[in-house]
Amino acid sequence: MRPLRQLRHETNPLIFVTLTVITAISLIPFLWVIANAFKDNTEIFGSASLLPEEWHLRNFGAAWMDGQFGVYFLNTVIVAVATTVISVAIAAPAGYAFAKTQLRHASALFYLYLFGITLPIESIIVPLFYQIKDMGLVNNLWGLILALVGTGVPFGVYLMRSFFRDLPDALAEAARIDGATEWGIFFRIMMPLATPGLLALAVFSFLSAWNEFFLSILLLLNNDTRTIPIGLVQFRQQNMSDYGALFAAITLAIIPSLLIYIVLQRQFISGLAAGATKG
Amino acid sequence: MDAPLHPPVAFRRTRSLGRLWQANRVPIVLLSPSLLFYVVFVLMPLGRAFQLSLTDWDGIAANLNYVRAENYSHIWTDSRFLTSLWRNVIWWVMHVVLGVGGGLLLAILISEVGRGRFVFRTVAFFPHVLSLAVVGVIWGQLYHPSIGLINTTLERAGLSGMARVWLGDPSLALYSVGIASGWQAYGFYMVIFLAGIQSIDPQLYEAARVDGASAWRRIWDITIPSLHNTMTVVLTLAFISAMKGFGTVWAMTQGGPGYASELVAVYVWRTAFQTGAIGRAAAAGLSLALIVIAFSFIFNRWRDKVGQYT
């Protein structure tokens, strides 16, 4: 998403002002939360200024001790990384099979996957919960990971198929003539060429797993298995009146996302845009 | 004894399966893992949802008691369910106005601005990177009746008469949550619209510049009409995401006060896991699925048809 367009004209000041206002609307809630995290409760109630008059760190200590944010963070990393790795590992070969091999009845099977993209997971949440319960995976990070991989399959395969379909056949043909096996062509030639697509799917899977809320509230009931979103909501229920600690907890929940976003923001934006428009 | 001319049926079937395997070994191996996950975590639950929707199971009983279509006839005459469906429509409209409208406005303005694009885009997109739960908790605090930024700002501006219990007032709760959801969404739609603007033929703008067209004319006559296709994609995305609305509501009001902000997904959740009416919840979930799938299908057909002529 590099240069939009080379426009050689003065920017209308009204445009600039409107943009600044909208950007402020995006930004102010975060600044307010973070500033309040450094205030004590009397100042949160009484003071009119955005910045704290005195900077307190007590709230962060309270949030860290009460909330086990270290555990939540670790759980979230496990869920996000495992979901991403497994999703890409199973969706890439399947997308390749649909795009570049001659499988009989492939189109019927592909329609079955397409159906899964439109099916809202909300409609199967009840039996899905009992199924994972029957597998003994409630309160186990793997229950969530497997469910996220499974429900993510249709979109992942669809996305990978569109990326593989755009790759030229010539290289594979040349390798076939040189005596490469079908597996060699897939692993050594097609997979490396599909790297941008793999990255787009990885970004998408990572972010959805990191932020997952709908299944997690059902599956992660115990404090040791909670992820950041569930942990934060739980923390609020238990600390309704300690406002400072809650603001610190929100800040702790935002920090990892913010850091990842700063490092990978280009990949995030282009990966999610590709996911949305190809999907 | 003579050998039979035709092998027995079962043998013939394994032969042809064997042949299918021989001819398609590579794609079958490549596809199997994804198919396994898909069957176990989507198709089997879907089948079981249909089965459960025909029973009055409470989540505990050892045997399933079949009640035919009773759950379906119940929910489709139940004003609580029908109202929750209507709230999804309101939710969609809010999503389109705030999320899609805001995203379109931002994308157009950003494409017109010479400097600072990167900053505007990065900041506006950030809320989309956060969990619905985190955004819900943040906005729960912004709406807080006594310490929330919204009420304290109104009071300081001398407008304390406008301060409200934003999430506790049944006539406001749905809209308050909808605003939070729209705030999170506009950065996402902005990125899609920006990609759409990027693919507009630069010569159009060049010609407009030669003609001395103003920024407004350029936006109105070139940018907006050219985004027609992007718009249809975005409206479908917005519909599907609005029908599935759950996280923001759950993190802010859990559907309350009463049923005031209950969307269909929240209805399914509460009916299943709080009331224990599993069969009814399954029927409601499948009804939601039917609506979303039918809409996506019709919309795609319509888009293909329109696409042929544009």
Side-chain angles (χ1 to χ4, degrees), chain A residues 45 47-48 61 114 146 157 173 269 274:
Chain A
F45 267 99
S47 159
L114 277 185
L146 295 178
V157 172
E173 286 305 322
I269 291 179

Side-chain angles (χ1 to χ4, degrees), chain A residues 26 112-113 131 211 236 261 265, chain B residues 34 38 40 118 122 186 251:
Chain A
S26 294
L112 189 67
Y113 279 79
Q131 182 149 332
N211 291 330
R236 181 188 55 185
Y261 183 57
Q265 75 106 5
Chain B
S34 72
Y38 184 43
V40 172
F118 180 80
T122 306
Y186 63 67

Side-chain angles (χ1 to χ4, degrees), chain A residues 1-5 7-9 11-12 14-16 18-20 22-23 25-30 32-33 36 44-49 86 90-91 93-94 96-98 101-105 109 112-113 115-116 118-135 143 146-147 149-151 153-154 157 182-183 186 207 210-214 217-218 228-230 232-233 236-237 243 246-247 250 253-254 257-258 261 265-266 268-269 272-273 276-277, chain B residues 20 23-31 33-35 37-46 48-49 52 57-59 102 105-106 109-115 117-134 136-142 144 146-149 152 156 183 186 188 191-192 194-195 197-198 202 205 209 215-216 218-219 223 233 237 240 244 246-247 250-252 254 265 268-269 272-273 278 281-282 285-286 288-289 292-293 296:
Chain A
M1 201 153 296
R2 202 53 201 145
L4 265 172
R5 195 167 356 106
L7 284 177
R8 291 275 163 268
H9 59 82
T11 301
N12 188 322
L14 189 62
I15 289 178
F16 204 82
T18 318
L19 264 178
T20 312
I22 302 179
T23 313
I25 294 173
S26 294
L27 204 55
I28 286 172
F30 297 111
W32 179 73
V33 164
N36 274 345
I44 290 174
F45 267 99
S47 159
S49 78
I86 305 175
I90 68 172
Y96 176 77
F98 279 121
T101 65
Q102 270 76 47
L103 174 65
R104 288 180 60 194
H105 310 301
L109 190 59
L112 189 67
Y113 279 79
F115 165 76
T118 9
L119 182 76
I121 183 195
E122 286 71 11
S123 61
I124 56 165
I125 181 76
V126 178
L128 186 58
F129 170 72
Y130 284 101
Q131 182 149 332
I132 291 166
K133 199 175 164 197
D134 291 347
M135 295 166 122
L146 295 178
V149 172
T151 53
V153 157
V157 172
E182 289 302 311
W183 303 111
F186 172 62
L207 212 59
W210 186 278
N211 291 330
E212 212 290 325
F213 185 53
F214 187 64
I217 340 171
L218 263 188
I228 293 173
I230 307 300
L232 179 65
V233 169
R236 181 188 55 185
Q237 270 159 20
Y243 297 117
L246 178 55
F247 284 116
I250 299 174
I254 294 174
S257 300
L258 182 64
Y261 183 57
Q265 75 106 5
R266 197 171 299 278
F268 268 29
I269 291 179
L272 289 185
T277 44
Chain B
L20 189 75
N24 299 293
R25 206 169 21 163
V26 173
I28 289 174
V29 172
L30 291 171
L31 273 168
S34 72
L35 196 58
F37 269 96
Y38 184 43
V39 168
V40 172
F41 292 101
V42 178
L43 295 183
M44 274 168 56
L46 183 63
R48 207 165 161 199
L52 289 175
W57 197 46
D58 57 0
L105 178 68
L106 262 174
L109 296 182
I110 286 180
S111 72
E112 285 291 330
V113 90
R115 207 173 289 210
R117 273 176 192 169
F118 180 80
V119 175
F120 292 128
R121 196 190 67 180
T122 306
V123 172
F125 189 72
F126 179 62
H128 181 73
V129 174
L130 295 174
S131 174
L132 298 177
V134 173
V137 173
I138 292 175
W139 275 81
Q141 293 308 106
L142 289 170
H144 193 286
S146 50
I147 64 152
L149 182 65
T152 51
R156 265 169 221 140
W183 174 82
Y186 63 67
F188 172 69
V191 166
I192 300 180
L194 275 175
I197 292 176
Q198 220 178 353
Y205 291 101
R209 197 180 58 91
W216 304 118
R218 203 164 50 224
I219 293 170
T223 311
V233 174
L237 287 176
I240 294 174
K244 294 161 69 161
F246 177 87
W250 195 258
M252 291 177 77
Q254 305 212 339
V268 171
W269 180 280
F273 302 113
I278 302 292
L286 289 180
L288 176 70
V292 172
I293 291 171
S296 311

Side-chain angles (χ1 to χ4, degrees), chain B residues 70-90:
Chain B
E70 209 171 86
N71 289 318
Y72 292 95
S73 59
H74 175 96
I75 57 168
W76 285 102
T77 52
D78 176 17
S79 69
R80 180 179 160 197
F81 174 76
L82 294 174
T83 315
S84 75
L85 198 56
W86 173 242
R87 284 190 205 99
N88 273 83
V89 176
I90 298 176

Side-chain angles (χ1 to χ4, degrees), chain B residues 2 5 10 19 25 39 46-47 56-57 68 73 80 110 142 168 196 201 208 226 243 246 275 286 308-310:
Chain B
D2 291 339
L5 281 171
R19 214 175 298 138
R25 206 169 21 163
V39 168
L46 183 63
D56 62 0
W57 197 46
R68 299 181 197 215
S73 59
R80 180 179 160 197
I110 286 180
L142 289 170
D201 184 356
S226 308
M243 284 297 135
F246 177 87
T275 317
L286 289 180
Q308 284 174 358
Y309 304 110
T310 48

Side-chain angles (χ1 to χ4, degrees), chain A residues 49-60:
Chain A
S49 78
L50 178 65
L51 285 180
E53 284 155 31
E54 248 183 281
W55 294 73
H56 294 274
L57 287 173
R58 183 209 75 91
N59 296 329
F60 287 94

Side-chain angles (χ1 to χ4, degrees), chain A residues 56-252:
Chain A
H56 294 274
L57 287 173
R58 183 209 75 91
N59 296 329
F60 287 94
W64 188 265
M65 300 303 287
D66 277 11
Q68 300 191 27
F69 273 86
V71 178
Y72 302 158
F73 176 74
L74 204 65
N75 288 338
T76 315
V77 170
I78 294 172
V79 169
V81 170
T83 305
T84 306
V85 171
I86 305 175
S87 295
V88 173
I90 68 172
Y96 176 77
F98 279 121
K100 294 289 181 197
T101 65
Q102 270 76 47
L103 174 65
R104 288 180 60 194
H105 310 301
S107 65
L109 190 59
F110 187 65
Y111 275 113
L112 189 67
Y113 279 79
L114 277 185
F115 165 76
I117 297 183
T118 9
L119 182 76
I121 183 195
E122 286 71 11
S123 61
I124 56 165
I125 181 76
V126 178
L128 186 58
F129 170 72
Y130 284 101
Q131 182 149 332
I132 291 166
K133 199 175 164 197
D134 291 347
M135 295 166 122
L137 291 176
V138 171
N139 264 327
N140 182 325
L141 293 179
W142 283 102
L144 179 63
I145 293 167
L146 295 178
L148 286 178
V149 172
T151 53
V153 157
F155 175 72
V157 172
Y158 180 78
L159 188 67
M160 292 320 301
R161 173 180 166 272
S162 6
F163 273 102
F164 278 115
R165 215 180 29 184
D166 293 346
L167 295 180
D169 287 320
L171 276 171
E173 286 305 322
R176 208 165 276 137
I177 291 165
D178 287 349
T181 64
E182 289 302 311
W183 303 111
I185 291 170
F186 172 62
F187 281 109
R188 299 222 193 87
I189 297 171
M190 294 315 244
M191 283 290 268
L193 285 175
T195 310
L198 300 177
L199 274 180
L201 179 59
V203 163
F204 188 85
S205 309
F206 185 88
L207 212 59
S208 1
W210 186 278
N211 291 330
E212 212 290 325
F213 185 53
F214 187 64
L215 283 167
S216 318
I217 340 171
L218 263 188
L219 298 177
L220 308 178
L221 306 168
N222 131 11
N223 212 18
D224 296 331
T225 56
R226 290 208 176 98
T227 52
I228 293 173
I230 307 300
L232 179 65
V233 169
Q234 181 69 19
F235 184 88
R236 181 188 55 185
Q237 270 159 20
Q238 286 165 357
N239 297 272
M240 277 295 192
S241 51
D242 192 348
Y243 297 117
L246 178 55
F247 284 116
I250 299 174
T251 309
L252 289 175

